[in-house]
Amino acid sequence: MSNAVPVQLSAKDFKSDQEVRWCPGCGDYAILAAMQTFLPELGIPRERTVFVSGIGCSSRFPYYLNTYGMHSIHGRAPAIATGLSVSRPDLTVWVVTGDGDALSIGGNHLIHALRRNVNIKILLFNNKIYGLTKGQYSPTSEIGKVTKSTPTGSSDAPFNPISLALGAEASFVARTIDSDRKHLQSVLRQAAEHQGSAFVEIYQNCNIFNDGAFEVLKDPETRDAYLIRLEHGQPITFGKDDSHVVTHPAGSFGLAVGEAGKVDASEVLTHDAHAEDPAYAFALSRLAGPDLRHTPVGVFRSVRRPSYDELVRNQLDAAKAKAGEPEADLAALLNSGDTWTIL
């Protein structure tokens, strides 16, 4: 979060003069509206807010927000955002990316930003397809997915973005859904308040090339049986009238789902988003099957550890103090230690 003096803003202040150009019905509209409504809550001046994106449908975000922003290059948004965050601690830096942009060409940039715990907020719009390039399979598409680039079905096993983020030791990891504005804004609020890297996967519908990919999580007839809503400090229950629970069976490394009436109350897990060991959150991330049954949403992990920005600035302060001057002499620095003269 920025240390700027809070200012009074409205959603209208964050709407740019650019025509919003996504396909009619795209889930990106819902995410944009939620973000424009949410940002005023932070009380941060627009000139202290930056959105950095890569390439893809989601990466048009900076055009539509009346803040500073950069539409950068494919997969490299976390690297650019890292430079901004380290050099300008007064800024609030967001990264907007997609499953193709972040998990294919941008994979290394993503995991290292999370590993370093850079103070940036990464929003990954996951629609399980390449939308901008017209419907090829992506790193999150399911096995057997028939697309223009896989006419007989994909042979690739998909990434689980939440598992990937937790494996990279991300200090804040969450998942939400484009059409659930209340839940989406709640997760965004918690991500904004987090000091360090915050990774938020947003299930987002591409109604042109992968329509209905998450419909079972949205349809009132099915969502209660499929969705597991995580709340820190609360028992993990779901289904109509909390008919099902999540447990940790004795002798098992993972978690399991059971019927509430057949499980002792003492065996029902209480969600602990602040657990230091990511193994528990990782086990939660593995609950959902290929059909999306038992999909957790909410904050999987939120822990405090020094951010990359803090550590780098501490190093700079220590180096300046050691030099004995507010600003060390650059020429002296370049000629210190081992140097060579090339003839």
Side-chain angles (χ1 to χ4, degrees):
M1 292 284 290
S2 170
N3 291 323
V5 176
V7 296
Q8 295 295 320
L9 296 168
S10 67
K12 184 178 180 180
D13 293 316
F14 286 95
K15 295 180 180 179
S16 76
D17 60 357
Q18 298 297 300
E19 178 188 0
V20 181
R21 301 179 67 181
W22 286 311
C23 299
C26 176
D28 288 354
Y29 284 101
I31 303 173
L32 175 64
M35 178 62 76
Q36 289 170 331
T37 304
F38 155 75
L39 283 172
E41 292 184 16
L42 302 180
I44 298 174
R46 290 173 296 166
E47 62 271 19
R48 301 290 188 189
T49 303
V50 183
F51 282 82
V52 182
S53 67
I55 296 296
C57 296
S58 64
S59 295
R60 298 186 63 81
F61 234 66
Y63 294 110
Y64 308 141
L65 287 161
N66 193 17
T67 66
Y68 278 105
M70 178 181 292
H71 191 180
S72 70
I73 54 179
H74 210 184
R76 273 64 175 185
I80 294 169
T82 295
L84 270 175
S85 183
V86 173
S87 61
R88 289 289 302 274
D90 58 317
L91 299 179
T92 296
V93 183
W94 298 78
V95 169
V96 178
T97 184
D99 47 304
D101 185 55
L103 299 175
S104 55
I105 193 170
N108 274 343
H109 291 289
L110 173 68
I111 62 174
H112 289 299
L114 298 176
R115 173 181 67 87
R116 290 171 172 147
N117 200 33
V118 182
N119 192 28
I120 57 179
K121 320 306 171 190
I122 301 175
L123 308 181
L124 188 151
F125 297 12
N126 182 7
N127 56 22
K128 296 188 175 184
I129 203 77
Y130 276 104
L132 187 67
T133 50
K134 306 299 184 286
Q136 298 82 7
Y137 82 111
S138 86
T140 57
S141 297
E142 64 272 20
I143 291 179
K145 182 71 174 179
V146 175
T147 71
K148 294 177 180 179
S149 57
T150 53
T152 59
S154 168
S155 300
D156 289 3
F159 271 130
N160 179 323
I162 298 294
S163 297
L164 183 72
L166 290 165
E169 298 280 354
S171 57
F172 182 99
V173 179
R175 176 191 286 140
T176 185
I177 301 174
D178 59 359
S179 59
D180 189 341
R181 179 178 290 200
K182 183 178 179 181
H183 190 268
L184 172 58
Q185 290 182 328
S186 172
V187 169
L188 291 176
R189 189 174 298 111
Q190 293 175 77
E193 292 171 353
H194 182 73
Q195 291 297 310
S197 63
F199 176 84
V200 179
E201 178 188 25
I202 305 174
Y203 281 163
Q204 176 260 330
N205 192 49
C206 176
N207 59 312
I208 302 299
F209 297 110
N210 202 24
D211 193 24
F214 305 107
E215 190 59 28
V216 291
L217 303 179
K218 302 178 179 185
D219 188 338
E221 296 296 320
T222 56
R223 65 188 178 196
D224 288 342
Y226 279 75
L227 273 181
I228 300 175
R229 295 183 180 274
L230 302 174
E231 294 185 37
H232 176 70
Q234 297 298 316
I236 306 179
T237 63
F238 68 101
K240 186 177 181 180
D241 299 322
D242 294 329
S243 59
H244 288 74
V245 297
V246 176
T247 67
H248 184 192
S252 171
F253 287 106
L255 305 179
V257 170
E259 293 183 40
K262 298 179 180 180
V263 175
D264 189 277
S266 63
E267 298 179 22
V268 179
L269 275 179
T270 295
H271 182 46
D272 183 7
H274 303 323
E276 287 294 331
D277 189 339
Y280 159 71
F282 188 87
L284 275 177
S285 76
R286 310 307 295 175
L287 273 177
D291 63 352
L292 296 179
R293 191 177 295 275
H294 307 151
T295 294
V297 294
V299 178
F300 288 73
R301 187 177 195 231
S302 179
V303 297
R304 180 72 172 98
R305 60 185 175 91
S307 71
Y308 181 76
D309 317 56
E310 293 173 318
L311 296 174
V312 169
R313 287 194 291 271
N314 288 342
Q315 285 182 330
L316 291 173
D317 291 341
K320 291 176 182 179
K322 185 176 181 180
E325 300 176 9
E327 298 293 336
D329 181 77
L330 181 60
L333 176 64
L334 293 175
N335 289 287
S336 64
D338 295 330
T339 59
W340 293 267
T341 300
I342 306 300
L343 301 176

